[in-house]
Amino acid sequence: MLYKNDNLFPILEQHADLKKRLFSGNFGLEKENVRVDENGNLSLTPHPAIFGLKEENPYIKTDFSESQIEMITPVSDSVDAVYTSLENLQNIVSDRVRDEYLWPSSNPPILPAEQDIPIAVYQDPNSASRLYREHLAREYGKKVQLLSGIHYNFSFSDDFLERLHISMGGEKTLQDFKNQIYLKVAKYFMQNRWFLLYLTGASPVYLPNFLNKTPDNEVSRETPDLALQNGISLRNSHAGYKNKCSLHVDYDSFDDYIASIESWIEQGKIDSMRELYNPIRLKNSNTDQSLAGLAEAGVEYIEIRSLDLNPFDPNGITKEMLHFIHLLLVSGLLTESTAFDQTQQEQSDINEERIASNGLNKPDIYVNGSELPFNQAVEKLLTEMEYVAKLTDAVDFSSIIEVQRDISKNPEKTIASQIVTTSDSFVSFNLEKAKTYLEQSMQNAYKLIGYEDMELSTQIVLKSAVTKGLSIEILDREENFIRLEKGGQVEYIKQATKTARDSYISALIMENKVVTKQILAEHNIEVPRGQNFSDINDARNSFKLFADKPIVVKPKSTNFGIGISIFKDGFTQENYEEALKIAFSYDSSVIIETYIPGDEYRFLVIDGKIAGILKRVPANITGDGTRTISELIDEKNLDPLRGTDHLKPLEIIQKGPEETLMLSMQGFSMSDVPENGQIVYLRENSNISTGGDSIDVTNLIHPYYQELAIECAKAVDANLCGVDIIVSRETLPNGPYAVIELNFNPAIQIHSFPYQGENRRIGDIILDFLFKDQL
C-alpha cells in the first residue's frame, strides 16, 4: 500500500497543481473485428495486403485469426482525441475492405469448421506470434478465439505522477511508486468491474454450434440463434474466453504481483504473462510482453480487456463510456483501498459471473465481503465516483453518471437488453449494422476526422500513411507540413505533393506560365500562343489585337483556375476590360492567349507514370423550368462533397464576377429560369476548384496523350505534377491538342474522389513513390 491510509483526497486539497493535473493522462484503444462476407460468413481471405506486414504496421494488425482485424490507436492525451483516432481507423479500414464488412458483435458470425479458421500468418512461420497463436488454438480451440472486444489502455501523465510522488514524501523510487499506483487502481477496478460489465456487456446472443459447452441458462429464441436468459455478456461469462481456472494475483505489492503470475506459469496453468486473461493487466510498452521484462522495467500503463463491442456504435464504444471508464480509474486512485484477499477475489469473480450470466435480473453484489442489493451496490460506487467527478469541470461527468444510474435502474436500457429484444436474427441484426456502418464510413472516406482544417489532399496522404503503417508527425498544421517515417527513412511533405523529389526550380517553372510555355514549346510540345502584360493599360490598348478572336485571359502565376476568363465566341470591349480587371486582381502580370477548342483533361504524372486522368467539366447547372439559376446553384451546392478551400473533393459553385460575366455572354442573369433539361454553364474554364465536375477517364484516353503528359513533366524535370491538356479527339493519336499549363501542386482529391468514376488512391501512389524501398 502507498500509506496505511491511502485516501488521496487530503493531498489533492493541499496541492492545487495536483488537482489541476488529476485527469490528465495517456489513452489508447485496441479494437478487434472479424471480417465477414455479404451473408455473414467469416471471411477466409488473407489480411488485406494494403495494410502491409502485420508485424510492422503499428495501427492495423490481426488478432488471433487472419480474418480478425485489430485496430490500434496512437497514444493520445485525451478521451476525445483517442476516440477520434479510433473513428478514423474504423473509416480507413472499412474503406479498404469495402468488399467485406466489419462484424460489429463480440460474438462471432457464421463460422466454418474448426480446422478451416485461419490463424494469423506471419513472414516467419516460427515467429513467437505465430507459435503463441498455435498454442492458443490447441489449448482453447479456434472458435472461442474469435470472440472480439475493445482494450482500453490508460496511464496517468508522468507530470502528475512525479508531482504526486514528491508530495507523498518520495520515499520509494519513482518507478516503485508508479507500480504501487497502478496496482491500487487495478485492484479497485477488479472490485468494481461488475458494474462496468453491466453497462458494456453486449454479447448475450450467439449462434448454435459456437460453444463447446452449454451454459446453464441457454435458451432458444424465435430466430435461429441462442441467448443467455437474462444474460449480459457471453464473452465475459464462464462459457466465454477465460483461463481454464481462476488465476488470482496478489495486489499487496508489485513483487508479490510478479511472483503470483510466475507461480501460475511454473505450474503450467498459463504459457506466459500474455495468457493471463484477467479483466485488467499491468503492462509496459518497452518490454517484449514477458513477465521478466515487466518485473525489470515496471508498470507503464494498465490495460482493460473486458469491454464487449457495442454493436449500436460504429466504433464499438461510445465516447461517453470512455469518459466513464476514465472516471472509474481516477476514482480507483483516490479512494481508500480495501482488502482484496483470496476470498474477496473469489467473491469478485462471482460478481462478474452473476452480471455476465444474469445481469438483467440485477443480482445481489458482494461489496467488501458482504452481499448488497444491486441498486444499493450501484449507488455506493456512483457516489464515490461523483465525489471524484467534482474535482474537475473539464468533462460533464455528472450527466454521464446520471445516464449510467438510469440504466442501472432500468435494465431494458442496457445494450444487452436492446440486443435480446430485437426481432431480427443474430446474423441479420449484425449484418445490417455492418452494412450501415460501411455506408457511413464511405461518406467520410474523403476526410480525416479532426483534421478537417487541413487541405483535403494532405488528409488523403495522412490516411494513406495510416493505412501503410508509417509514423506521422504534423510539423505545421496551418501550412500542411508533415513528416513521415518508415524503416528509418524520413520524408517531408508539404500540401501532399511538394516533396524532396522535385527541385525548387521545377516548381518555379510550373508556377510561371510564361516560362512553362516557352520550355514546352522548345520541346516541340504544342502550347497556346499569346502575350504577357504587366500593365493593365497596355493590355486595354491591345484590344484590337484580340478582337473577334477566341482568347483566354488569365493571371500569370496563379493556380486552381483563379481569375481566368475565356471568350470563345467573341466579346465586347466591356467584356474584355472586365476580364482584365479580374485577372489583374490576382496577379501583377496577365497572359492573353489563343483559346483552343476541345475538352480539358488533367493528367496526373507521378514518377514518370500516369497516376490518373480526369475530364473536367466547367461549373454548370441543369434547369428544371421552375427555379432560377441562383436557386439551382444553391441546390447543387448542397452536395456533401462540395465545400470551400479545397477541404472537400468538389468546390461549391460561386456567384462572383466571373460567373456573372459568363452568364451575361449567354444572355442570362442569376434570376433567370432556364428551361427543363437545359444545361447552363457558369464558367468557361473547367477547373474543379471553381465548381467544375470531375470525371475519371484514366482507362479511356489514348496512350499518345498519356505519353505526351509524361513528356511535359520530363521537360520541366518534375516527378509529381499535373498536366492540363486541351484535346479535341481523345481516342485518336495526333489529334489537335494544346498543353495549357503545368501544376506543381495538383489537387489530388479530384482523382481520389471524382464526381464520376474510380478512386485512383493517389495518396497510396505518392507514398509508394517516396518510400519505394520500404513499402
Side-chain angles (χ1 to χ4, degrees):
M1 295 177 64
L2 297 170
Y3 280 111
K4 291 181 180 179
N5 181 347
D6 59 2
N7 182 336
L8 301 186
F9 284 99
I11 293 176
L12 287 179
E13 293 303 322
Q14 297 170 17
H15 299 274
D17 59 329
L18 281 176
K19 187 176 179 180
K20 181 180 179 181
R21 293 169 173 80
L22 175 62
F23 283 87
S24 62
N26 304 298
F27 304 82
L29 296 171
E30 304 167 39
K31 182 168 79 85
E32 305 151 356
N33 293 93
V34 296
R35 293 180 287 112
V36 299
D37 66 16
E38 61 182 5
N39 297 314
N41 297 290
L42 180 73
S43 170
L44 301 180
T45 61
H47 183 65
I50 186 61
F51 301 134
L53 295 176
K54 53 183 71 76
E55 303 96 315
E56 296 180 359
N57 191 320
Y59 317 111
I60 305 167
K61 299 180 180 292
T62 57
D63 196 64
F64 168 80
S65 173
E66 191 75 359
S67 310
Q68 190 176 32
I69 281 183
E70 182 178 24
M71 306 173 207
I72 304 173
T73 68
V75 176
S76 301
D77 61 3
S78 72
V79 163
D80 288 351
V82 78
Y83 186 81
T84 295
S85 290
L86 182 62
E87 191 172 10
N88 282 323
L89 282 171
Q90 170 75 16
N91 291 338
I92 288 170
V93 172
S94 297
D95 179 29
R96 296 307 181 118
V97 299
R98 62 174 71 179
D99 292 334
E100 299 176 329
Y101 303 96
L102 298 179
W103 189 248
S105 172
S106 283
N107 290 340
I110 303 170
L111 298 179
E114 176 92 5
Q115 65 270 16
D116 294 328
I117 296 174
I119 300 175
V121 176
Y122 295 87
Q123 272 198 316
D124 178 4
N126 295 313
S127 67
S129 294
R130 174 70 186 194
L131 295 178
Y132 175 60
R133 284 159 173 75
E134 291 176 352
H135 161 75
L136 296 179
R138 290 190 300 270
E139 291 296 313
Y140 301 91
K142 291 182 178 180
K143 289 184 178 181
V144 74
Q145 300 294 330
L146 295 180
L147 284 164
S148 300
I150 289 181
H151 294 187
Y152 185 120
N153 301 318
F154 171 76
S155 66
F156 296 98
S157 71
D158 286 341
D159 181 45
F160 170 74
L161 290 178
E162 288 166 6
R163 290 170 182 266
L164 182 62
H165 178 231
I166 293 171
S167 69
M168 295 184 70
E171 297 176 3
K172 304 173 183 289
T173 68
L174 178 59
Q175 186 57 58
D176 286 342
F177 178 76
K178 289 181 178 180
N179 294 343
Q180 287 301 115
I181 284 288
Y182 289 119
L183 272 174
K184 180 176 189 272
V185 173
K187 180 172 68 171
Y188 184 85
F189 178 87
M190 290 292 287
Q191 291 170 317
N192 295 288
R193 70 189 193 268
W194 58 271
F195 186 54
L196 186 61
L197 177 56
Y198 174 84
L199 297 173
T200 63
S203 53
V205 180
Y206 49 97
L207 290 174
N209 303 319
F210 167 52
L211 298 175
N212 293 325
K213 50 187 175 182
T214 301
D216 296 337
N217 60 334
E218 180 178 271
V219 293
S220 297
R221 304 174 72 219
E222 293 183 3
T223 52
D225 40 57
L226 304 170
L228 300 177
Q229 187 174 26
N230 297 314
I232 293 276
S233 174
L234 173 70
R235 176 171 167 269
N236 285 283
S237 73
H238 71 280
Y241 189 17
K242 290 181 173 291
N243 293 116
K244 294 182 177 180
C245 62
S246 297
L247 301 177
H248 298 135
V249 296
D250 194 326
Y251 290 93
D252 284 343
S253 74
F254 184 63
D255 288 343
D256 291 339
Y257 177 87
I258 294 294
S260 56
I261 298 175
E262 188 174 36
S263 70
W264 297 128
I265 296 174
E266 291 175 350
Q267 295 175 43
K269 302 289 187 181
I270 52 177
D271 179 68
S272 65
M273 183 178 68
R274 291 198 296 180
E275 200 180 334
L276 180 64
Y277 296 133
N278 279 1
I280 191 168
R281 295 193 294 202
L282 308 183
K283 301 191 74 172
N284 188 308
S285 61
N286 296 321
T287 72
D288 56 1
Q289 296 194 58
S290 70
L291 187 64
L294 178 64
E296 180 180 354
V299 186
E300 220 176 60
Y301 66 96
I302 51 180
E303 176 193 43
I304 296 171
R305 306 180 61 259
S306 58
L307 303 174
D308 283 351
L309 293 174
N310 178 357
F312 295 104
D313 189 279
N315 305 305
I317 193 167
T318 65
K319 187 187 297 185
E320 291 71 24
M321 183 50 62
L322 295 179
H323 279 300
F324 183 79
I325 296 170
H326 182 204
L327 178 61
L328 179 68
L329 297 175
V330 175
S331 299
L333 169 69
L334 300 186
T335 305
E336 182 178 350
S337 294
T338 57
F340 200 46
D341 56 24
Q342 178 73 19
T343 298
Q344 288 163 324
Q345 288 196 48
E346 290 173 355
Q347 292 174 347
S348 179
D349 290 346
I350 292 172
N351 287 344
E352 180 182 61
E353 180 58 32
R354 285 178 176 177
I355 295 297
S357 296
N358 194 38
L360 297 181
N361 274 339
K362 302 204 303 185
D364 291 347
I365 297 297
Y366 280 102
V367 178
N368 297 331
S370 301
E371 286 187 279
L372 295 179
F374 178 86
N375 286 344
Q376 188 175 337
V378 169
E379 196 55 38
K380 179 181 183 304
L381 173 60
L382 291 183
T383 299
E384 290 177 357
M385 295 178 68
E386 283 176 322
Y387 192 45
V388 175
K390 293 177 181 178
L391 298 174
T392 182
D393 57 5
V395 178
D396 185 9
F397 281 122
S398 60
S399 295
I400 294 174
I401 289 174
E402 276 309 306
V403 170
Q404 315 317 320
R405 179 178 277 120
D406 181 54
I407 294 173
S408 73
K409 295 177 180 178
N410 300 282
E412 67 275 10
K413 295 183 178 182
T414 60
I415 300 170
S417 180
Q418 293 178 63
I419 292 172
V420 170
T421 55
T422 179
S423 59
D424 293 330
S425 70
F426 175 73
V427 172
S428 296
F429 170 79
N430 285 289
L431 200 54
E432 180 184 357
K433 292 291 183 185
K435 292 179 178 180
T436 298
Y437 297 152
L438 174 60
E439 291 176 5
Q440 292 176 5
S441 289
M442 297 312 301
Q443 291 174 5
N444 290 318
Y446 67 89
K447 67 181 178 180
L448 192 64
I449 297 171
Y451 297 84
E452 293 92 341
D453 57 305
M454 302 184 75
E455 280 189 349
L456 182 55
S457 57
T458 299
Q459 294 180 54
I460 290 170
V461 169
L462 288 173
K463 293 185 78 168
S464 288
V466 171
T467 301
K468 292 175 175 290
L470 278 65
S471 296
I472 300 168
E473 182 179 1
I474 296 176
L475 301 175
D476 189 322
R477 195 175 181 114
E478 185 175 348
E479 292 290 325
N480 294 275
F481 217 127
I482 63 176
R483 174 163 54 204
L484 304 178
E485 188 271 332
K486 176 80 170 180
Q489 178 183 341
V490 176
E491 295 291 340
Y492 296 90
I493 304 176
K494 183 178 180 182
Q495 296 171 321
T497 55
K498 298 175 184 177
T499 76
R501 297 298 185 274
D502 281 316
S503 67
Y504 184 46
I505 195 64
S506 291
L508 291 178
I509 289 171
M510 289 185 278
E511 184 180 42
N512 188 305
K513 295 176 174 60
V514 173
V515 175
T516 298
K517 287 171 58 178
Q518 180 174 334
I519 291 175
L520 292 178
E522 290 170 353
H523 282 77
N524 298 316
I525 295 171
E526 292 293 331
V527 295
R529 303 185 183 280
Q531 294 186 37
N532 179 37
F533 293 91
S534 298
D535 185 278
I536 191 169
N537 290 321
D538 289 342
R540 286 194 184 108
N541 294 333
S542 299
F543 171 73
K544 290 183 179 180
L545 294 176
F546 306 106
D548 300 324
K549 297 177 183 177
I551 63 170
V552 178
V553 181
K554 61 184 179 182
K556 184 175 76 171
S557 301
T558 59
N559 287 313
F560 307 117
I562 295 174
I564 294 177
S565 298
I566 299 176
F567 303 108
K568 59 183 179 180
D569 297 316
F571 52 92
T572 66
Q573 173 99 30
E574 183 181 359
N575 296 151
Y576 176 74
E577 292 192 3
E578 178 65 17
L580 289 176
K581 181 179 178 181
I582 292 170
F584 271 106
S585 72
Y586 290 102
D587 203 334
S588 59
S589 294
V590 165
I591 297 172
I592 303 177
E593 63 187 17
T594 304
Y595 167 76
I596 307 297
D599 294 321
E600 184 176 339
Y601 295 86
R602 162 62 62 83
F603 295 73
L604 181 61
V605 181
I606 300 177
D607 192 24
K609 306 177 188 68
I610 295 295
I613 307 173
L614 285 176
K615 181 177 182 179
R616 305 195 299 188
V617 179
N620 65 88
I621 55 87
T622 301
D624 62 4
T626 302
R627 286 174 291 180
T628 65
I629 291 174
S630 179
E631 291 170 337
L632 291 168
I633 291 173
D634 292 340
E635 181 192 39
K636 193 164 184 177
N637 284 339
L638 292 176
D639 185 335
L641 292 181
R642 291 191 182 272
T644 59
D645 300 323
H646 316 291
L647 297 178
K648 289 190 175 184
L650 301 170
E651 290 291 306
I652 65 171
I653 301 173
Q654 301 287 344
K655 301 178 184 178
E658 292 93 337
E659 290 78 14
T660 301
L661 177 60
M662 179 65 182
L663 286 174
S664 69
M665 294 183 64
Q666 301 172 77
F668 287 116
S669 70
M670 288 287 178
S671 60
D672 286 333
V673 178
E675 296 178 4
N676 186 35
Q678 182 180 11
I679 298 175
V680 179
Y681 290 95
L682 284 304
R683 282 272 189 157
E684 189 67 63
N685 66 297
S686 55
N687 298 70
I688 308 307
S689 54
T690 55
D693 298 332
S694 53
I695 302 173
D696 178 72
V697 292
T698 305
N699 299 327
L700 302 177
I701 300 299
H702 196 281
Y704 170 82
Y705 299 105
Q706 299 188 37
E707 289 300 322
L708 174 64
I710 293 171
E711 287 303 313
C712 290
K714 289 180 180 178
V716 296
D717 195 27
N719 283 300
L720 204 162
C721 79
V723 182
D724 293 340
I725 307 179
I726 297 290
V727 177
S728 61
R729 295 189 301 168
E730 69 275 12
T731 59
L732 298 175
N734 302 313
Y737 77 86
V739 178
I740 56 176
E741 67 180 44
L742 304 184
N743 294 269
F744 68 93
N745 186 29
I748 67 172
Q749 64 265 29
I750 63 177
H751 297 278
S752 298
F753 299 96
Y755 184 68
Q756 295 177 13
E758 180 181 342
N759 182 337
R760 293 295 165 178
R761 304 287 186 188
I762 303 303
D764 292 0
I765 296 173
I766 291 173
L767 296 185
D768 288 340
F769 167 49
L770 296 177
F771 291 90
K772 288 181 179 179
D773 298 328
Q774 304 296 335
L775 298 175

